[in-house]
Amino acid sequence: MKKITLMLFAMLFGMAANAQEFRPAPNSQQPTPLQRSTQQTSNTNPTFTGNGTENSPYLISTPNQLIELSTLVNGGNSFSGVYFALASNIDMSSVSNFIPIGTGYEFSGIFDGYNYIISNLTINNGSTYAGLFGQVGGASTSLKSIIKNVGLENISVTSGAYSGGLVGYAYQYVDINSCYSIIGQGGIYGTTNIGGLVGSVGNYSYNNNNNNSISNSYSTGGNIVGSDYCGGLIGGIWGGATITNCFSNNNVNSTIYAGGLIGVTVYYNSYYNNISNCYATGTVTSSDNYNYNDNVVGGFSGYWDNLSTATNCYHRENNVSNNTNGRTIPGVTPMPAANMQTNQFATTLNASQDPLAWSWSSEINDGYPYINIRPRIIGTGTLVDPYIVQNNSNLNTVANRVNGGQQDAFIAFYNDSIINGANNSSIGNSSYPFTGKVVFIDGAGNHVENGKVTINGITNPLFGNTNLATINNITLTGVNINTPSSDNVGALVSIANNSVIDSCFSSGTITGGTNVGGLIGNGNSCSNIINCHSTAVVIGNTYVGGLVGYMDGCSVQKCYATGNVSANNFAGGLLGSNVHGTTLKSYSRGNVIRLAGTGNLFGSLVGTGSGNEVGCLYLNSATTPSDAMSNYRGTASANPEDALN
């Protein structure tokens, strides 16, 4: 009987001659195909606000409404093509045992968490299919079931087979995007196909492409325990799945087929799985020492069919509990923890993706890269409860709130963090200039003096208009601002009034019209710019400078610019114009280039203006137009850096 069973599995999977044989775990089985309700949603009369459409989804904001959705789906309403959304955070601590959404029937609709959080969810049913959603399945490639932007915190699951924090069983035509689960002390316990986020993805008895995907998601903080097919993120993948930009640090314990990210990865009928830009760091343990030698335990996946593909994937070196890497998988690299806890590793995971999916901070996720999926901002913008910016979506939220009237907001960054991605708008405008302060915090929320943050890839000035603001220790890399018809353009600030700009830096390319600078477009009214520099290439029409485009009444101290500056008129390597301002111990190294016309107010240091420059230098080999009239500003030097001494 055992021989016949193995032969049937070999036929079922259609293994190629060069693929390693998959041996099913004892007593394991795939679930039967799900029941799809024939009942029409229009007959269910849910009590939720909304109409169930994309523009007016059914809104869920209480534990009772989650229970109502569970009752409706488990009663036979799949809600195919119907839209649901969270309208607030939901604390489920009052529900001792939540019945998953989809136990006898699958959920087939679209559920958008809008980045709200469901917390303290406990499931203890001991049966099959457990998670916030028990079973999920779409109708076709054009009518998928989609779960996105859902956060689960302090979740505990004790069940049977096919259990995960978010979904127990994702059958077919399912997309899961930008979701996470933080496992509570209760962990996720079951039998077969147990995962931190999803228990099982796909079904090898389904004679077609399962067409499932999970992207930009993660599971952390707990223990995943079962008998077989157990993974930190996913228990089992059974053909036709795409997994991108995901990670887990959960510890995994399973008798057989245990992996740091995935328990088992199997293809069916030429429908292979594709895994990319993922990693796992948790410890993987098998309760049977034989399995270590039999290679069914892995730092990344407990089984890998060798016909699926892994690209740019990693696991913590020797994260299998016998101090090995376990199963070797092409495209998956074991890496020392110290190398993974770096911004360089985040850069590696981002590869050539646009937009960038990964960010890094020594204060977040134990220093491992994290996914940019928590756009709902934390804090109220006060000194004791500042807005905490973790990603570019948070930047956009802060901009919306300041531009809507909350001018005096306190904006906090985690110390030494790196944020990737474009910003949609600048913080502060002419009606509501930013009057607040930038601060830094550690992982515990304590204020850090002299902290720092790096923001990569902005496409608009970070701050628009500022007044009496304090902005410090911000590094802007890979700036790509291309607004040739806009005036007052700088990487950090468009127009700085009466503000303190301290220890900030920019690199990249900035293009604008009038008043264009590598760091600040227009600085006036006693703004102080201290210890700042820019290596950006700056291009504009008039009043264009390597650091500041137009300056009136400002003080610039110990600053420099090294990028080339191109303009039609009034351009300088450091300042396009210095009117009534004072520049101390600063320098420039870049070339100043005339784009067109006959303008001649160009200077290696300053283009024009009646301000003062004291102890300022420019590179003696830097070029300016041959008929430039402003090279008397500052002093030529082979070592202009000496100005900072």
Side-chain angles (χ1 to χ4, degrees):
M1 178 62 71
K2 181 177 180 181
K3 182 176 180 181
I4 293 173
T5 302
L6 291 176
M7 289 175 63
L8 287 172
F9 266 89
M11 293 172 63
L12 182 64
F13 284 102
M15 293 292 178
N18 65 341
Q20 298 182 22
E21 180 188 20
F22 173 74
R23 296 180 296 105
N27 302 317
S28 67
Q29 61 180 5
Q30 280 285 299
T32 58
L34 304 176
Q35 302 178 74
R36 178 165 289 113
S37 173
T38 59
Q39 198 168 338
Q40 296 300 310
T41 302
S42 59
N43 295 329
T44 62
N45 296 319
T47 62
F48 313 124
T49 300
N51 299 316
T53 63
E54 183 173 9
N55 293 328
S56 180
Y58 288 129
L59 298 179
I60 296 174
S61 58
T62 68
N64 284 339
Q65 289 175 330
L66 273 180
I67 292 171
E68 181 181 353
L69 177 59
S70 173
T71 301
L72 288 169
V73 174
N74 296 337
N77 303 285
S78 295
F79 291 109
S80 180
V82 179
Y83 289 78
F84 295 83
L86 292 182
S88 68
N89 295 329
I90 300 177
D91 184 351
M92 297 293 290
S93 58
S94 62
V95 181
S96 60
N97 182 17
F98 178 73
I99 304 302
I101 302 166
T103 53
Y105 294 87
E106 87 270 27
F107 173 78
S108 300
I110 297 92
F111 191 96
D112 190 340
Y114 276 93
N115 299 292
Y116 287 111
I117 297 168
I118 298 172
S119 60
N120 304 312
L121 181 67
T122 299
I123 298 170
N124 186 11
N125 59 15
S127 61
T128 302
Y129 310 127
L132 175 65
F133 293 88
Q135 305 171 88
V136 179
S140 65
T141 54
S142 61
L143 196 59
K144 285 191 168 186
S145 183
I146 300 171
I147 301 175
K148 60 183 178 179
N149 305 317
V150 177
L152 300 172
E153 298 190 2
N154 193 29
I155 180 171
S156 298
V157 178
T158 303
S159 186
Y162 308 98
S163 299
L166 182 70
V167 175
Y169 180 34
Y171 179 48
Q172 59 177 333
Y173 305 121
V174 176
D175 285 346
I176 297 171
N177 180 39
S178 298
C179 295
Y180 70 90
S181 64
I182 299 177
I183 311 302
Q185 290 185 349
I188 297 184
Y189 284 73
T191 56
T192 182
N193 286 269
I194 311 300
L197 192 74
V198 180
S200 178
V201 179
N203 188 311
Y204 59 63
S205 66
Y206 180 62
N207 192 25
N208 208 329
N209 189 347
N210 288 301
N211 212 307
N212 297 309
S213 69
I214 302 176
S215 58
N216 303 315
S217 298
Y218 67 90
S219 179
T220 64
N223 297 312
I224 312 301
V225 181
S227 60
D228 50 74
Y229 312 145
C230 297
L233 187 79
I234 304 165
I237 298 178
W238 305 98
T242 300
I243 315 297
T244 307
N245 295 324
C246 294
F247 75 89
S248 173
N249 69 11
N250 292 322
N251 296 323
V252 181
N253 191 318
S254 177
T255 303
I256 189 171
Y257 296 124
L261 194 78
I262 306 162
V264 58
T265 308
V266 175
Y267 82 99
Y268 172 72
N269 196 24
S270 299
Y271 297 118
Y272 307 131
N273 306 293
N274 298 291
I275 322 295
S276 60
N277 309 321
C278 296
Y279 75 85
T281 63
T283 299
V284 184
T285 303
S286 171
S287 56
D288 187 340
N289 288 330
Y290 169 78
N291 292 323
Y292 293 116
N293 299 324
D294 202 34
N295 208 21
V296 292
V297 179
F300 190 81
S301 182
Y303 177 82
W304 190 269
D305 61 35
N306 282 357
L307 292 175
S308 295
T309 59
T311 305
N312 197 33
C313 292
Y314 305 84
H315 67 84
R316 178 172 58 83
E317 188 176 63
N318 298 331
N319 64 328
V320 176
S321 61
N322 66 344
N323 200 35
T324 69
N325 295 314
R327 177 176 290 275
T328 299
I329 300 171
V332 178
T333 303
M335 181 178 287
N339 292 358
M340 300 176 78
Q341 293 168 305
T342 63
N343 177 54
Q344 180 57 49
F345 184 45
T347 301
T348 299
L349 290 168
N350 277 319
S352 58
Q353 298 183 82
D354 184 20
L356 300 177
W358 298 87
S359 290
W360 179 84
S361 169
S362 60
E363 303 288 349
I364 301 175
N365 196 33
D366 294 327
Y368 291 95
Y370 62 94
I371 297 289
N372 298 323
I373 66 167
R374 300 176 82 174
R376 189 162 299 282
I377 196 154
I378 299 171
T380 58
T382 65
L383 176 60
V384 296
D385 188 29
Y387 289 130
I388 299 177
V389 175
Q390 301 181 65
N391 50 48
N392 63 318
S393 293
N394 291 161
L395 285 175
N396 294 329
T397 299
V398 170
N400 290 337
R401 295 189 182 179
V402 171
N403 298 345
Q406 194 177 358
Q407 301 169 251
D408 59 350
F410 283 78
I411 303 172
F413 297 95
Y414 283 108
N415 181 35
D416 206 28
S417 62
I418 297 174
I419 295 171
N420 292 308
N423 57 334
N424 295 334
S425 57
S426 302
I427 301 169
N429 55 31
S430 58
S431 299
Y432 299 107
F434 175 66
T435 62
K437 185 176 182 178
V438 170
V439 297
F440 298 89
I441 59 175
D442 61 19
N446 301 312
H447 284 260
V448 176
E449 294 295 329
N450 300 316
K452 60 181 179 178
V453 64
T454 298
I455 302 173
N456 179 58
I458 63 171
T459 52
N460 291 284
L462 185 62
F463 293 89
N465 293 59
T466 69
N467 185 41
L468 299 173
T470 300
I471 302 170
N472 57 287
N473 299 321
I474 295 177
T475 294
L476 303 172
T477 59
V479 175
N480 184 20
I481 298 175
N482 185 19
T483 54
S485 60
S486 297
D487 298 335
N488 303 310
V489 179
L492 185 71
V493 182
S494 295
I495 302 175
N497 292 308
N498 298 301
S499 298
V500 175
I501 315 294
D502 188 358
S503 302
C504 294
F505 160 72
S506 67
S507 66
T509 302
I510 295 99
T511 302
T514 299
N515 302 339
V516 185
L519 197 70
I520 299 168
N522 186 338
N524 54 54
S525 300
C526 299
S527 290
N528 293 316
I529 305 166
I530 310 164
N531 300 318
C532 293
H533 66 283
S534 175
T535 63
V537 173
V538 185
I539 304 167
N541 180 29
T542 304
Y543 299 129
V544 183
L547 188 77
V548 182
Y550 182 88
M551 189 175 85
D552 187 356
C554 287
S555 172
V556 174
Q557 302 178 48
K558 291 195 171 183
C559 296
Y560 65 90
T562 62
N564 291 338
V565 176
S566 300
N568 292 319
N569 205 356
F570 304 137
L574 186 72
L575 310 174
S577 174
N578 178 11
V579 180
H580 308 306
T582 300
T583 305
L584 303 173
K585 295 186 174 182
S586 299
Y587 74 88
S588 64
R589 293 186 63 94
N591 298 320
V592 179
I593 303 163
R594 177 193 287 132
L595 291 175
T598 60
N600 61 3
L601 289 177
F602 295 84
S604 292
L605 187 75
V606 180
T608 186
S610 56
N612 298 315
E613 295 83 38
V614 179
C616 295
L617 304 176
Y618 62 87
L619 183 65
N620 58 7
S621 60
T623 62
T624 57
S626 58
D627 57 350
M629 296 181 62
S630 297
N631 266 349
Y632 61 87
R633 309 289 286 271
T635 302
S637 172
N639 300 295
E641 298 83 0
D642 292 344
L644 300 180
N645 298 329

